Amino acid sequence: MYRLLIVDDEERARTGIRMLIDWAAHGIEIVGEARDGAEALEIMKCTGVDILLTDIRMPVMDGLELIEHVSKSSPATKCIIMSGYDEFSYAQKAMAAGAVDYLLKPSRRQEILDLVVKITNDIAKQRQENEKLEGLRSGFRESFPFLKEYALNRLVMTENPPLERLLNNLMLSDISFPLPFFGVLVVKIDNLHLVQQKFGSADIELFKYALKNIAEETFIPICHSAAFEDNDDVVLLMNADEWLDTKQIVPYAEAIQHNAMRFLPFTVSIGIGSFDRSIRHFRVSFLEAHKALNARFYEGDAKITDYLEAAEEEDFTQTSYPLENERAVLQAIGKGDEAAIRSSLQEFLASLKPESSSKESVVNSIYALYFALYRDCIERNVNVNEVFGSGLDEIPRMMARSGLEHIMATLTETARKIADQLSARKNGNKLFESILAYVHEHFRLDISRESVAREVYVTPGYISYLFKQQLQTSFIEYLHRIRIEYASRLLRDPSLRISDIAHDSGYQDEKYFFQVFKKYTGMTPTQYRNNL
């Protein structure tokens, strides 16, 4: 509904406008009537007005003064002036003061309605445009966090970033770097792979958002800062008034760790980069902080390392892949000795010298061992889906987001699964050998899958599973083959009757014996004997 206020000092004029037109049918509501401009302003203080239809000459406050007030206090209200021919100069002044149109007195009912409806259409169009504009503003405001993340990311990850444009974009989020020194700190969630298994993706995003806030708020006392996310890590850009060394930064890094443990369900490790005067140093400092985290990968969770420690690690010579230790792991798995498996894996890890190696070199060697285990499963016909799931795809993600302790625990569990399958197969082979021996010894009797299962203390279903797994056939098919092979040998003796051969081969029904014999040989027993 559009709200209309009628202002005229003549009651008859007001009543005529109100009563002679069906305003409601056109979506218009009369919200009030006023005798002069002052009274109209009092009404407008209490209710909103979309259209103001006012006379010019009125006592106390005339129409011109009213329109001037309304144009300032309620610019969205559309004012229509009513004037006679002799007041046309007033109408011109009213238009200059802010009126949108005018009516000449006396006005016919249809003229008034047509003009007011035209104004309501204009208001509707304006509202639609305002809604679109507000939608754009809202979308733009909602995009601020993404613009902020994008700009901060490019500022650090791009070798030659468009600084002016990125800094202007950051100004929209009230982020600036006005101070002379620049450095970076990287916060990594320890064992993110385990955290992701416990919590949903929405929770993980909330945790990272909280971690960014914790990092920014913690460093308020010593520098300007802004945090963004990079591959599940939180990168904190620091802008300080003076050069900061690691000793000054470590207490604040420890505060981040403390608050993360207090408010979030995980610990964090932190890498610290160097400070320098150029804003382009953000990228250099980020690479240093990232390298510092990887360099001390062996030390486990909740650690703080800086760029100087990372530089020291570069002096160590990396060892080649330990093939002998790999063979020891595979041999321990083949024997099924859990203690030997754990010991061989620890020796494999020790041979990598992880205390003096980067995360990349250690993880690459462990990944190579995973491939060796996978290949060993293929060669030994172990069900790789039961060991590795759908494949090796998940392993790189797990290692990228986990600490060394969890990686080794997962590797040990994988080795144990392989050993269990091999052990189960060995036990299954011994059992199957005993089943075959029993069948060969008793096939001439009336035996079945169920009777054999009772003899070896397993279920009939497991008997079927073993035959399918070991011989790719069923129990009954195997039994028929043995019986028909035996019957074929007996048929070589012409002195034996076929009915006796059928009975002696385990078939009580001679007709059924003929059916089975023809199925497996393509001939009846008589035809087979005649062809010998």
Side-chain angles (χ1 to χ4, degrees):
M1 296 290 284
Y2 298 92
R3 295 159 297 186
L4 174 66
L5 176 63
I6 303 170
V7 187
D8 199 308
D9 59 336
E10 295 183 15
E11 183 177 358
R12 186 177 63 177
R14 299 196 306 271
T15 303
I17 294 172
R18 172 167 50 83
M19 299 297 295
L20 295 177
I21 298 174
D22 186 2
W23 295 107
H26 297 84
I28 299 167
E29 176 190 4
I30 305 296
V31 295
E33 299 175 22
R35 291 169 295 184
D36 57 59
E39 191 173 315
L41 291 177
E42 289 300 317
I43 293 173
M44 291 184 71
K45 289 179 181 178
C46 302
T47 184
V49 174
D50 297 312
I51 303 171
L52 178 69
L53 184 60
T54 181
D55 192 12
I56 289 183
R57 290 188 176 180
M58 296 178 294
V60 184
M61 180 186 291
D62 64 18
L64 288 179
E65 192 176 351
L66 171 61
I67 291 172
E68 288 176 355
H69 277 284
V70 171
S71 296
K72 294 176 182 177
S73 62
S74 182
T77 300
K78 307 297 183 183
C79 299
I80 303 173
I81 201 78
M82 294 184 295
S83 66
Y85 283 107
D86 58 341
E87 298 170 336
F88 189 70
S89 61
Y90 288 104
Q92 290 178 314
K93 292 179 181 179
M95 296 291 286
V100 295
D101 218 322
Y102 65 90
L103 288 164
L104 290 175
K105 287 184 175 182
S107 300
R108 288 178 298 174
R109 177 179 59 182
Q110 193 62 43
E111 288 178 335
I112 297 173
L113 176 61
D114 289 346
L115 181 55
V116 173
V117 169
K118 173 182 174 294
I119 299 300
T120 62
N121 291 336
D122 292 341
I123 292 173
K125 290 179 182 178
Q126 185 64 49
R127 286 177 178 175
Q128 288 179 348
E129 291 177 3
N130 289 342
E131 287 176 4
K132 289 181 181 178
L133 187 59
E134 182 54 36
L136 290 173
R137 287 196 187 102
S138 177
F140 188 58
R141 286 193 296 269
E142 289 176 3
S143 70
F144 276 5
F146 300 102
L147 286 172
K148 169 192 168 184
E149 289 276 325
Y150 175 78
L152 291 174
N153 188 289
R154 287 206 66 190
L155 197 60
V156 174
M157 303 302 169
T158 309
E159 287 191 14
N160 293 300
L163 290 176
E164 185 176 352
R165 179 159 58 86
L166 294 178
L167 293 175
N168 286 337
N169 287 342
L170 290 172
M171 287 292 291
L172 296 173
S173 299
D174 294 325
I175 296 175
S176 62
F177 302 104
L179 303 177
F181 288 93
F182 305 85
V184 171
L185 179 144
V186 177
V187 184
K188 180 181 289 291
I189 298 174
D190 293 327
N191 290 310
L192 178 61
H193 183 71
L194 280 178
V195 178
Q196 289 173 325
Q197 290 177 335
K198 293 179 182 178
F199 300 95
S201 57
D203 290 330
I204 298 297
E205 292 306 312
L206 182 62
F207 294 155
K208 288 189 285 191
Y209 177 76
L211 191 56
K212 284 188 282 188
N213 285 339
I214 288 172
E216 289 178 344
E217 291 173 6
T218 300
F219 273 83
I220 287 175
I222 61 169
C223 64
H224 290 295
S225 66
F228 70 94
E229 182 185 332
D230 173 60
N231 292 328
D232 298 313
D233 295 338
V234 169
V235 180
L236 184 71
L237 306 188
M238 299 177 289
N239 182 216
D241 195 33
E242 60 181 3
W243 188 85
L244 299 176
D245 64 16
T246 301
K247 291 181 180 179
Q248 292 170 284
I249 295 173
V250 164
Y252 296 94
E254 290 173 343
I256 291 176
Q257 289 183 324
H258 173 76
N259 288 325
M261 290 181 64
R262 181 181 175 190
F263 298 109
L264 301 171
F266 49 74
T267 62
V268 298
S269 292
I270 298 174
I272 302 171
S274 65
F275 269 77
D276 207 341
R277 283 186 175 274
S278 171
I279 193 171
R280 295 182 184 276
H281 186 68
F282 273 148
R283 176 168 173 77
V284 176
S285 185
F286 165 77
L287 295 174
E288 291 173 341
H290 200 272
K291 187 183 293 184
L293 276 173
N294 288 339
R296 291 298 184 182
F297 178 63
Y298 179 74
E299 292 182 359
D301 301 337
K303 60 182 176 293
I304 297 175
T305 55
D306 72 353
Y307 64 100
L308 293 175
E309 294 178 82
E312 292 173 3
E313 300 301 337
E314 293 179 354
D315 295 335
F316 287 95
T317 302
Q318 301 301 321
T319 56
S320 59
Y321 181 74
L323 282 173
E324 287 299 321
N325 295 94
E326 177 195 287
R327 294 190 189 98
V329 172
L330 297 179
Q331 288 173 1
I333 291 173
K335 294 177 182 177
D337 186 337
E338 187 166 339
I341 291 172
R342 293 182 180 278
S343 175
S344 62
L345 286 173
Q346 287 301 322
E347 289 174 5
F348 178 90
L349 178 62
S351 69
L352 301 177
K353 297 182 179 178
E355 72 281 359
S356 60
S357 301
S358 69
K359 176 181 179 180
E360 183 180 6
S361 62
V362 174
V363 166
N364 285 345
S365 293
I366 294 175
Y367 194 40
L369 180 58
Y370 264 111
F371 269 110
L373 296 180
Y374 193 90
R375 184 183 64 249
D376 193 52
C377 287
I378 299 296
E379 292 174 352
R380 297 181 189 234
N381 198 27
V382 171
N383 189 329
V384 291
N385 288 334
E386 292 183 9
V387 176
F388 297 94
S390 58
L392 295 172
D393 293 346
E394 181 59 24
I395 293 174
R397 287 192 288 270
M398 178 275 293
M399 291 197 290
R401 300 170 180 174
S402 301
L404 187 59
E405 183 178 349
H406 177 63
I407 291 175
M408 290 305 295
T410 305
L411 180 61
T412 303
E413 178 64 16
T414 301
R416 189 192 61 77
K417 286 181 181 179
I418 300 172
D420 287 347
Q421 280 211 31
L422 292 174
S423 178
R425 181 189 296 171
K426 288 178 184 177
N427 294 333
N429 287 344
K430 292 179 182 177
L431 174 64
F432 191 62
E433 288 171 4
S434 67
I435 291 171
L436 293 181
Y438 183 87
V439 171
H440 280 273
E441 185 177 348
H442 298 90
F443 73 89
R444 296 166 62 190
L445 304 177
D446 184 20
I447 63 173
S448 65
R449 185 185 66 161
E450 286 72 18
S451 65
V452 174
R454 286 194 297 270
E455 290 294 328
V456 295
Y457 305 103
V458 295
T459 65
Y462 191 58
I463 293 281
S464 296
Y465 168 75
L466 288 175
F467 271 92
K468 199 70 175 176
Q469 183 191 55
Q470 301 288 344
L471 301 179
Q472 289 75 51
T473 188
S474 66
F475 170 84
I476 192 66
E477 290 282 334
Y478 187 77
L479 180 60
H480 281 318
R481 285 200 190 98
I482 294 174
R483 285 173 169 176
I484 297 306
E485 288 173 3
Y486 179 72
S488 298
R489 291 196 299 270
L490 294 182
L491 285 171
R492 295 177 182 275
D493 186 348
S495 66
L496 298 176
R497 293 188 305 169
I498 291 178
S499 59
D500 292 336
I501 291 173
H503 187 273
D504 197 33
S505 299
Y507 296 100
Q508 306 303 315
D509 186 339
E510 186 177 349
K511 184 178 180 181
Y512 181 57
F513 169 66
F514 269 68
Q515 292 174 349
V516 175
F517 193 94
K518 187 172 183 180
K519 175 184 176 183
Y520 283 89
T521 65
M523 295 175 282
T524 65
T526 303
Q527 291 170 334
Y528 183 85
R529 171 173 275 177
N530 291 337
N531 284 335
L532 289 173

